[in-house]
Amino acid sequence: QVQLVESGGGSVQAGGSLRLSCAASGYTYSTYCMGWFRQAPGKEREGVATIYTGGGTTYYADSVKGRFTISQDNAKNTLYLQMNSLKPEDTAMYYCAADTRPVVPGRDWYKAGRYNYWGQGTQVTVSS
């Protein structure tokens, strides 16, 4: 089992920055990739970014490229999402997710169903 706990969410003005953290515990040795998803009211959960534990390959949604950076600190079993130049449309509940199955890197990374562990979410609100 893998437990995920997000933190770092909050309210910020447009153009500001936030850094989300996801602390992982449990059988973290079985984790193949970790990612960030977000969901706004009335919208489907969408993939924001994913990083693979082996090699560090990353993938980003087009809407956040150049503004968000996903990273991991394996020594601390922590995943990060640095969010810069935030926009009101970034407002959503952000979830940390992990996949313990050996999926091919990049294949369906943006689909929530590929991940088998989820955190409780942290709210990010960007005001104009």
Side-chain angles (χ1 to χ4, degrees), residues 6-91:
E6 303 99 328
S7 62
S11 298
V12 65
Q13 292 286 322
S17 300
L18 284 174
R19 189 191 194 197
L20 305 184
S21 298
C22 173
S25 61
Y27 298 101
T28 56
Y29 60 85
S30 65
T31 301
Y32 284 85
C33 66
M34 298 186 72
W36 290 97
F37 284 74
R38 66 186 182 186
Q39 187 168 24
K43 297 183 180 295
E44 295 184 350
R45 187 170 298 186
E46 63 175 346
V48 176
T50 292
I51 185 168
Y52 287 81
T53 57
T57 303
T58 59
Y59 295 89
Y60 294 91
D62 289 339
S63 60
V64 306
K65 286 182 178 178
R67 299 188 298 120
F68 291 9
T69 301
I70 187 171
S71 62
Q72 62 185 359
D73 186 336
N74 290 328
K76 297 180 179 180
N77 290 323
T78 302
L79 179 73
Y80 302 98
L81 183 67
Q82 179 65 47
M83 305 184 294
N84 298 326
S85 301
L86 284 163
K87 305 175 181 179
E89 50 262 46
D90 292 319
T91 296

